[in-house]
Amino acid sequence: MKMPEHILVVISGNRKKHEALERALKFAEYNDIHIHLFNAIYEPVLELTDVLSTEHREQMKEQHLADRRLYMNTLAEEISSQGIACSVRVEWHPHLHEIIEKVVKDLQPDLVIKRISAESMSINPFALPIDRHLIRYCKAPLLLVNQSEFSDSPILAAVDILTSDTDHMSLNKDILESAKLFSHLYLAPLYVVNAFITHTVSAGIDFPMLDMEQLNRNTESYHREKLSELLEKNHVETTPKQLHAVPGVPEVAIPQVVKQFNCQLVIMGSVGRKGLSGALLGNTAEAVLAELNCEVLCLKPHH
């Protein structure tokens, strides 16, 4: 991921503080950027055709849109007064994730920034929260934030060192490049994690010639070696303390590292699984988001 020049900021209603906008403005301290402010509104009551006439509904809808545009233009004028290019788009749409995906397709931004929704912790596979839906389908890099300021807490890059398919190999490179960028912007240390599955033996089965503890130690050493090779290949400098090969599935192992080192941002990839498998199994990035209490930058493969 390169330094973003065109940033789509999703504005969450009429609020006193917009964390996503504050974060976008931070990029303006390092680069000339264009901020696209976007907001979607929808009032279900205006769909009550038995109560309101078509003309009345349209008048009320236009009034809602006019009020929101006025507010958004006020934000844009303040941004423009700082010498930052800014544009505004307001849409009437019942499904926020769908209209965000449409705007992303129209504008082709380098980065989308959105405040983390309270519902992102939901694990109901049949009621996919907005943030997890965007992780799966948003075509642009997606930064989900919960605060407006950077801190000096670590940036964590989550990679998959054993992957052999083109999409994941490309993601590893993009994740590490993005991690170096954000580490520089945040003036924060860069940590890297790779989760791996340990060997187990079913209860009641005895293999006297097999030392499981030694086997798992060898497995960890192998993953640390491969992780070091990946970092060297991508010119990432780390100390042993910043390099973590952790046993377990990613959705458990990654949050453990986040909590252990109080990481402020996790950078990971998502190869948006779709269809029934996506509905029932979800994606690793989605599962990790449900367990995290930090910000997330989610990247997609280039096609």
Side-chain angles (χ1 to χ4, degrees):
M1 176 183 164
K2 64 178 182 178
M3 176 74 79
E5 297 178 355
H6 298 276
I7 301 177
L8 175 62
V9 177
V10 180
I11 298 296
S12 303
N14 188 337
R15 305 170 63 245
K16 291 183 178 180
K17 186 175 183 180
H18 295 284
E19 291 84 354
L21 176 55
E22 293 296 323
R23 183 58 55 86
L25 290 172
K26 289 293 182 180
F27 285 98
E29 299 176 8
Y30 301 91
N31 197 30
D32 290 332
I33 64 173
H34 185 119
I35 295 178
H36 305 273
L37 297 179
F38 172 72
N39 182 251
I41 59 174
Y42 183 72
E43 293 293 341
V45 68
L46 297 186
E47 304 300 330
L48 298 176
T49 56
D50 294 337
V51 178
L52 300 171
S53 67
T54 300
E55 182 181 0
H56 193 190
R57 282 189 289 119
E58 285 300 317
Q59 289 176 348
M60 294 181 67
K61 174 183 172 181
E62 288 304 318
Q63 185 60 54
H64 278 291
L65 286 169
D67 290 344
R68 188 55 54 87
R69 289 191 189 103
L70 179 61
Y71 172 71
M72 295 286 284
N73 286 332
T74 301
L75 292 178
E77 289 172 4
E78 183 176 345
I79 296 169
S80 298
S81 69
Q82 302 175 46
I84 302 170
C86 186
S87 57
V88 168
R89 182 164 171 174
V90 178
E91 297 278 357
W92 183 275
H93 202 283
H95 304 297
L96 180 58
H97 60 273
E98 291 182 2
I99 192 60
I100 290 176
E101 290 160 24
K102 181 181 184 301
V103 173
V104 167
K105 183 178 180 180
D106 293 343
L107 298 179
Q108 298 289 308
D110 299 320
L111 178 65
V112 178
I113 307 181
K114 180 185 175 297
R115 179 173 172 266
I116 295 177
S117 303
E119 70 206 26
S120 62
M121 298 301 182
S122 171
I123 59 174
N124 181 354
F126 300 105
L128 195 64
I130 292 171
D131 294 347
R132 294 177 64 190
H133 195 115
L134 290 173
I135 281 179
R136 187 178 301 187
Y137 297 111
C138 182
K139 301 300 183 183
L142 174 67
L143 178 60
L144 297 172
V145 303
N146 56 18
Q147 57 188 8
S148 57
E149 296 292 334
F150 300 154
S151 75
D152 58 1
S153 298
I155 308 297
L156 181 64
V159 296
D160 179 3
I161 62 167
L162 296 185
T163 186
S164 58
D165 66 275
T166 305
D167 281 351
H168 280 94
M169 291 175 66
S170 174
L171 271 177
N172 280 341
K173 180 178 180 180
D174 287 347
I175 288 168
L176 292 174
E177 288 297 323
S178 298
K180 288 191 290 184
L181 171 62
F182 277 81
S183 177
H184 173 72
L185 293 177
Y186 288 28
L187 300 178
L190 168 57
Y191 286 34
V192 184
V193 62
N194 174 76
F196 65 91
I197 304 300
T198 56
H199 302 279
T200 59
V201 176
S202 300
I205 300 178
D206 185 24
F207 293 97
M209 302 298 293
L210 187 62
D211 185 341
M212 293 303 299
E213 290 187 4
Q214 184 60 49
L215 180 59
N216 285 328
R217 284 196 294 269
N218 291 344
T219 301
E220 180 177 353
S221 296
Y222 173 78
H223 280 78
R224 288 186 66 87
E225 179 182 342
K226 289 296 182 181
L227 185 55
S228 295
E229 291 176 3
L230 177 66
L231 299 185
E232 182 178 356
K233 180 180 179 181
N234 288 276
H235 310 289
V236 179
E237 297 181 2
T238 59
T239 65
K241 177 185 175 182
Q242 295 168 273
L243 187 154
H244 299 275
V246 183
V249 294
E251 51 264 41
V252 175
I254 294 174
Q256 286 177 347
V257 177
V258 169
K259 294 174 184 176
Q260 180 180 357
F261 296 100
N262 190 32
C263 299
Q264 63 173 314
L265 172 68
V266 174
I267 302 176
M268 65 180 73
S270 173
V271 186
R273 182 185 284 119
K274 300 178 181 180
L276 185 59
S277 63
L280 296 178
L281 300 177
N283 298 282
T284 299
E286 296 173 40
V288 170
L289 176 64
E291 298 294 330
L292 290 177
N293 187 29
C294 70
E295 300 184 351
V296 176
L297 173 64
C298 192
L299 307 176
K300 291 291 180 61
H302 298 294
H303 292 293

PDB file of all heavy atoms in Angstrom, residues 110-129:
ATOM      1  N   ASP A 110      -7.644   5.399  -2.553  1.00  0.00           N
ATOM      2  CA  ASP A 110      -6.474   4.644  -2.099  1.00  0.00           C
ATOM      3  C   ASP A 110      -6.718   4.030  -0.731  1.00  0.00           C
ATOM      4  O   ASP A 110      -6.056   3.050  -0.359  1.00  0.00           O
ATOM      5  CB  ASP A 110      -5.256   5.574  -2.005  1.00  0.00           C
ATOM      6  CG  ASP A 110      -4.907   6.190  -3.347  1.00  0.00           C
ATOM      7  OD1 ASP A 110      -4.982   5.466  -4.366  1.00  0.00           O
ATOM      8  OD2 ASP A 110      -4.586   7.395  -3.377  1.00  0.00           O
ATOM      9  N   LEU A 111      -7.646   4.628   0.024  1.00  0.00           N
ATOM     10  CA  LEU A 111      -7.905   4.162   1.388  1.00  0.00           C
ATOM     11  C   LEU A 111      -9.309   4.567   1.803  1.00  0.00           C
ATOM     12  O   LEU A 111      -9.756   5.666   1.484  1.00  0.00           O
ATOM     13  CB  LEU A 111      -6.884   4.780   2.357  1.00  0.00           C
ATOM     14  CG  LEU A 111      -7.019   4.437   3.846  1.00  0.00           C
ATOM     15  CD1 LEU A 111      -6.766   2.954   4.091  1.00  0.00           C
ATOM     16  CD2 LEU A 111      -6.071   5.287   4.680  1.00  0.00           C
ATOM     17  N   VAL A 112      -9.997   3.672   2.509  1.00  0.00           N
ATOM     18  CA  VAL A 112     -11.291   3.974   3.118  1.00  0.00           C
ATOM     19  C   VAL A 112     -11.093   3.976   4.631  1.00  0.00           C
ATOM     20  O   VAL A 112     -10.526   3.029   5.187  1.00  0.00           O
ATOM     21  CB  VAL A 112     -12.361   2.930   2.738  1.00  0.00           C
ATOM     22  CG1 VAL A 112     -13.693   3.247   3.432  1.00  0.00           C
ATOM     23  CG2 VAL A 112     -12.553   2.867   1.231  1.00  0.00           C
ATOM     24  N   ILE A 113     -11.547   5.031   5.278  1.00  0.00           N
ATOM     25  CA  ILE A 113     -11.443   5.105   6.742  1.00  0.00           C
ATOM     26  C   ILE A 113     -12.840   5.196   7.325  1.00  0.00           C
ATOM     27  O   ILE A 113     -13.648   6.027   6.917  1.00  0.00           O
ATOM     28  CB  ILE A 113     -10.607   6.316   7.208  1.00  0.00           C
ATOM     29  CG1 ILE A 113      -9.246   6.347   6.515  1.00  0.00           C
ATOM     30  CG2 ILE A 113     -10.422   6.274   8.721  1.00  0.00           C
ATOM     31  CD1 ILE A 113      -8.374   7.501   6.936  1.00  0.00           C
ATOM     32  N   LYS A 114     -13.102   4.339   8.287  1.00  0.00           N
ATOM     33  CA  LYS A 114     -14.421   4.298   8.919  1.00  0.00           C
ATOM     34  C   LYS A 114     -14.269   4.029  10.408  1.00  0.00           C
ATOM     35  O   LYS A 114     -13.381   3.276  10.824  1.00  0.00           O
ATOM     36  CB  LYS A 114     -15.276   3.189   8.285  1.00  0.00           C
ATOM     37  CG  LYS A 114     -16.678   3.066   8.880  1.00  0.00           C
ATOM     38  CD  LYS A 114     -17.420   1.873   8.303  1.00  0.00           C
ATOM     39  CE  LYS A 114     -18.774   1.698   8.988  1.00  0.00           C
ATOM     40  NZ  LYS A 114     -18.635   1.412  10.449  1.00  0.00           N
ATOM     41  N   ARG A 115     -15.114   4.649  11.184  1.00  0.00           N
ATOM     42  CA  ARG A 115     -15.144   4.388  12.622  1.00  0.00           C
ATOM     43  C   ARG A 115     -15.693   2.987  12.875  1.00  0.00           C
ATOM     44  O   ARG A 115     -16.654   2.550  12.236  1.00  0.00           O
ATOM     45  CB  ARG A 115     -16.026   5.430  13.312  1.00  0.00           C
ATOM     46  CG  ARG A 115     -16.181   5.268  14.813  1.00  0.00           C
ATOM     47  CD  ARG A 115     -16.930   6.465  15.372  1.00  0.00           C
ATOM     48  NE  ARG A 115     -17.266   6.292  16.771  1.00  0.00           N
ATOM     49  CZ  ARG A 115     -18.420   5.813  17.216  1.00  0.00           C
ATOM     50  NH1 ARG A 115     -19.360   5.457  16.339  1.00  0.00           N
ATOM     51  NH2 ARG A 115     -18.661   5.681  18.498  1.00  0.00           N
ATOM     52  N   ILE A 116     -15.074   2.256  13.783  1.00  0.00           N
ATOM     53  CA  ILE A 116     -15.525   0.912  14.111  1.00  0.00           C
ATOM     54  C   ILE A 116     -16.927   0.966  14.697  1.00  0.00           C
ATOM     55  O   ILE A 116     -17.209   1.751  15.607  1.00  0.00           O
ATOM     56  CB  ILE A 116     -14.567   0.233  15.107  1.00  0.00           C
ATOM     57  CG1 ILE A 116     -13.195   0.013  14.449  1.00  0.00           C
ATOM     58  CG2 ILE A 116     -15.132  -1.096  15.592  1.00  0.00           C
ATOM     59  CD1 ILE A 116     -12.165  -0.578  15.387  1.00  0.00           C
ATOM     60  N   SER A 117     -17.811   0.136  14.176  1.00  0.00           N
ATOM     61  CA  SER A 117     -19.186   0.072  14.665  1.00  0.00           C
ATOM     62  C   SER A 117     -19.254  -0.784  15.932  1.00  0.00           C
ATOM     63  O   SER A 117     -18.507  -1.763  16.067  1.00  0.00           O
ATOM     64  CB  SER A 117     -20.118  -0.526  13.601  1.00  0.00           C
ATOM     65  OG  SER A 117     -20.066   0.216  12.416  1.00  0.00           O
ATOM     66  N   ALA A 118     -20.162  -0.433  16.817  1.00  0.00           N
ATOM     67  CA  ALA A 118     -20.319  -1.190  18.052  1.00  0.00           C
ATOM     68  C   ALA A 118     -20.722  -2.628  17.775  1.00  0.00           C
ATOM     69  O   ALA A 118     -20.406  -3.540  18.545  1.00  0.00           O
ATOM     70  CB  ALA A 118     -21.361  -0.512  18.948  1.00  0.00           C
ATOM     71  N   GLU A 119     -21.420  -2.857  16.661  1.00  0.00           N
ATOM     72  CA  GLU A 119     -21.919  -4.190  16.341  1.00  0.00           C
ATOM     73  C   GLU A 119     -20.866  -5.100  15.733  1.00  0.00           C
ATOM     74  O   GLU A 119     -21.129  -6.255  15.442  1.00  0.00           O
ATOM     75  CB  GLU A 119     -23.073  -4.067  15.348  1.00  0.00           C
ATOM     76  CG  GLU A 119     -22.623  -3.623  13.985  1.00  0.00           C
ATOM     77  CD  GLU A 119     -23.688  -2.902  13.189  1.00  0.00           C
ATOM     78  OE1 GLU A 119     -24.579  -2.313  13.785  1.00  0.00           O
ATOM     79  OE2 GLU A 119     -23.610  -2.933  11.965  1.00  0.00           O
ATOM     80  N   SER A 120     -19.633  -4.605  15.546  1.00  0.00           N
ATOM     81  CA  SER A 120     -18.612  -5.395  14.866  1.00  0.00           C
ATOM     82  C   SER A 120     -18.225  -6.643  15.638  1.00  0.00           C
ATOM     83  O   SER A 120     -17.631  -7.564  15.093  1.00  0.00           O
ATOM     84  CB  SER A 120     -17.358  -4.548  14.619  1.00  0.00           C
ATOM     85  OG  SER A 120     -16.790  -4.125  15.834  1.00  0.00           O
ATOM     86  N   MET A 121     -18.556  -6.694  16.939  1.00  0.00           N
ATOM     87  CA  MET A 121     -18.222  -7.851  17.753  1.00  0.00           C
ATOM     88  C   MET A 121     -19.197  -9.008  17.555  1.00  0.00           C
ATOM     89  O   MET A 121     -18.977 -10.106  18.047  1.00  0.00           O
ATOM     90  CB  MET A 121     -18.205  -7.457  19.247  1.00  0.00           C
ATOM     91  CG  MET A 121     -17.165  -6.415  19.589  1.00  0.00           C
ATOM     92  SD  MET A 121     -15.487  -6.943  19.201  1.00  0.00           S
ATOM     93  CE  MET A 121     -14.556  -5.525  19.769  1.00  0.00           C
ATOM     94  N   SER A 122     -20.283  -8.771  16.836  1.00  0.00           N
ATOM     95  CA  SER A 122     -21.281  -9.821  16.650  1.00  0.00           C
ATOM     96  C   SER A 122     -20.701 -10.997  15.885  1.00  0.00           C
ATOM     97  O   SER A 122     -19.949 -10.829  14.929  1.00  0.00           O
ATOM     98  CB  SER A 122     -22.494  -9.268  15.889  1.00  0.00           C
ATOM     99  OG  SER A 122     -23.364 -10.316  15.514  1.00  0.00           O
ATOM    100  N   ILE A 123     -21.057 -12.228  16.293  1.00  0.00           N
ATOM    101  CA  ILE A 123     -20.584 -13.429  15.610  1.00  0.00           C
ATOM    102  C   ILE A 123     -21.737 -14.170  14.950  1.00  0.00           C
ATOM    103  O   ILE A 123     -21.594 -15.308  14.538  1.00  0.00           O
ATOM    104  CB  ILE A 123     -19.845 -14.371  16.577  1.00  0.00           C
ATOM    105  CG1 ILE A 123     -20.776 -14.791  17.740  1.00  0.00           C
ATOM    106  CG2 ILE A 123     -18.586 -13.720  17.115  1.00  0.00           C
ATOM    107  CD1 ILE A 123     -20.172 -15.833  18.649  1.00  0.00           C
ATOM    108  N   ASN A 124     -22.895 -13.526  14.839  1.00  0.00           N
ATOM    109  CA  ASN A 124     -24.040 -14.145  14.184  1.00  0.00           C
ATOM    110  C   ASN A 124     -23.777 -14.235  12.681  1.00  0.00           C
ATOM    111  O   ASN A 124     -23.701 -13.222  12.000  1.00  0.00           O
ATOM    112  CB  ASN A 124     -25.302 -13.312  14.445  1.00  0.00           C
ATOM    113  CG  ASN A 124     -26.542 -13.916  13.802  1.00  0.00           C
ATOM    114  OD1 ASN A 124     -26.471 -14.903  13.072  1.00  0.00           O
ATOM    115  ND2 ASN A 124     -27.693 -13.329  14.087  1.00  0.00           N
ATOM    116  N   PRO A 125     -23.626 -15.452  12.113  1.00  0.00           N
ATOM    117  CA  PRO A 125     -23.272 -15.581  10.698  1.00  0.00           C
ATOM    118  C   PRO A 125     -24.385 -15.150   9.755  1.00  0.00           C
ATOM    119  O   PRO A 125     -24.155 -14.957   8.566  1.00  0.00           O
ATOM    120  CB  PRO A 125     -22.974 -17.074  10.544  1.00  0.00           C
ATOM    121  CG  PRO A 125     -23.816 -17.728  11.584  1.00  0.00           C
ATOM    122  CD  PRO A 125     -23.818 -16.764  12.747  1.00  0.00           C
ATOM    123  N   PHE A 126     -25.616 -15.007  10.268  1.00  0.00           N
ATOM    124  CA  PHE A 126     -26.742 -14.659   9.411  1.00  0.00           C
ATOM    125  C   PHE A 126     -27.150 -13.192   9.548  1.00  0.00           C
ATOM    126  O   PHE A 126     -28.134 -12.757   8.977  1.00  0.00           O
ATOM    127  CB  PHE A 126     -27.932 -15.569   9.713  1.00  0.00           C
ATOM    128  CG  PHE A 126     -27.608 -17.025   9.491  1.00  0.00           C
ATOM    129  CD1 PHE A 126     -27.397 -17.875  10.555  1.00  0.00           C
ATOM    130  CD2 PHE A 126     -27.470 -17.523   8.204  1.00  0.00           C
ATOM    131  CE1 PHE A 126     -27.090 -19.213  10.348  1.00  0.00           C
ATOM    132  CE2 PHE A 126     -27.157 -18.857   7.988  1.00  0.00           C
ATOM    133  CZ  PHE A 126     -26.965 -19.707   9.060  1.00  0.00           C
ATOM    134  N   ALA A 127     -26.404 -12.441  10.351  1.00  0.00           N
ATOM    135  CA  ALA A 127     -26.646 -11.002  10.492  1.00  0.00           C
ATOM    136  C   ALA A 127     -25.286 -10.314  10.499  1.00  0.00           C
ATOM    137  O   ALA A 127     -24.799  -9.866  11.519  1.00  0.00           O
ATOM    138  CB  ALA A 127     -27.420 -10.697  11.779  1.00  0.00           C
ATOM    139  N   LEU A 128     -24.651 -10.265   9.337  1.00  0.00           N
ATOM    140  CA  LEU A 128     -23.277  -9.794   9.224  1.00  0.00           C
ATOM    141  C   LEU A 128     -23.188  -8.300   9.516  1.00  0.00           C
ATOM    142  O   LEU A 128     -23.819  -7.491   8.845  1.00  0.00           O
ATOM    143  CB  LEU A 128     -22.769 -10.082   7.812  1.00  0.00           C
ATOM    144  CG  LEU A 128     -21.257  -9.989   7.587  1.00  0.00           C
ATOM    145  CD1 LEU A 128     -20.551 -11.051   8.417  1.00  0.00           C
ATOM    146  CD2 LEU A 128     -20.937 -10.166   6.112  1.00  0.00           C
ATOM    147  N   PRO A 129     -22.419  -7.909  10.539  1.00  0.00           N
ATOM    148  CA  PRO A 129     -22.255  -6.488  10.849  1.00  0.00           C
ATOM    149  C   PRO A 129     -21.614  -5.737   9.685  1.00  0.00           C
ATOM    150  O   PRO A 129     -20.922  -6.326   8.850  1.00  0.00           O
ATOM    151  CB  PRO A 129     -21.330  -6.496  12.069  1.00  0.00           C
ATOM    152  CG  PRO A 129     -21.463  -7.865  12.646  1.00  0.00           C
ATOM    153  CD  PRO A 129     -21.689  -8.766  11.483  1.00  0.00           C
TER     154      PRO A 129
END
